[in-house]
Amino acid sequence: MSYNSNFDIESVMKTLGTVSDKYPQGSAEDEALRIAAVALLYVQDIDKLEDYRKYFLDFITGKPLIPDQAFATREEADEWLASGKVNGGELITIAGQGFSVGGMASKGWTLLRTRLPEETEPPGSK
């Protein structure tokens, strides 16, 4: 199956809503679909949709994602966030797990869990 990195957000949101309607409100599935929908809207609202399209294309085609920073511990990453030398959307790793920088500089940056392709591959698949 091929994936369209130039997807139409309205179409995706409509599809997520249709799928969500099949699950009881408050169920784990309903919550997961709502989180996915809001995350996509957030990316659009902060004008990072084109960055996400590139990330999505790279992710589905298996192109390597190269983290901007790597940290051994969460504490080190939190110190870096507090330093102010951070850009929204940066990809980092903490002990080998992927995260991206989200939020807004004026309200303080946060780390959003972002699974790297190698984190989603079954063991021994390489």
Side-chain angles (χ1 to χ4, degrees), residues 3-92:
Y3 294 94
N4 177 8
S5 63
N6 197 30
F7 54 83
D8 176 64
I9 285 189
E10 288 183 31
S11 177
V12 171
M13 297 305 286
K14 184 177 179 181
T15 301
L16 287 170
T18 300
V19 173
S20 179
D21 289 343
K22 296 179 182 181
Y23 297 99
Q25 188 170 6
S27 67
E29 295 86 356
D30 176 62
E31 180 183 20
L33 290 164
R34 187 176 317 275
I35 290 168
V38 172
L40 189 55
L41 289 174
Y42 173 76
V43 169
Q44 177 180 280
D45 288 350
I46 63 168
D47 293 324
K48 294 291 185 179
L49 185 57
E50 291 311 310
D51 291 345
Y52 177 75
R53 290 182 191 284
K54 181 183 178 326
Y55 175 88
F56 180 77
L57 181 62
D58 289 349
F59 189 89
I60 63 174
T61 59
K63 292 182 182 174
L65 297 173
I66 301 170
D68 298 295
Q69 301 278 340
F71 301 97
T73 66
R74 177 66 188 235
E75 291 76 23
E76 290 176 13
D78 287 340
E79 287 178 24
W80 172 73
L81 278 177
S83 75
K85 298 176 184 175
V86 177
N87 293 308
E90 283 188 81
L91 181 65
I92 69 164

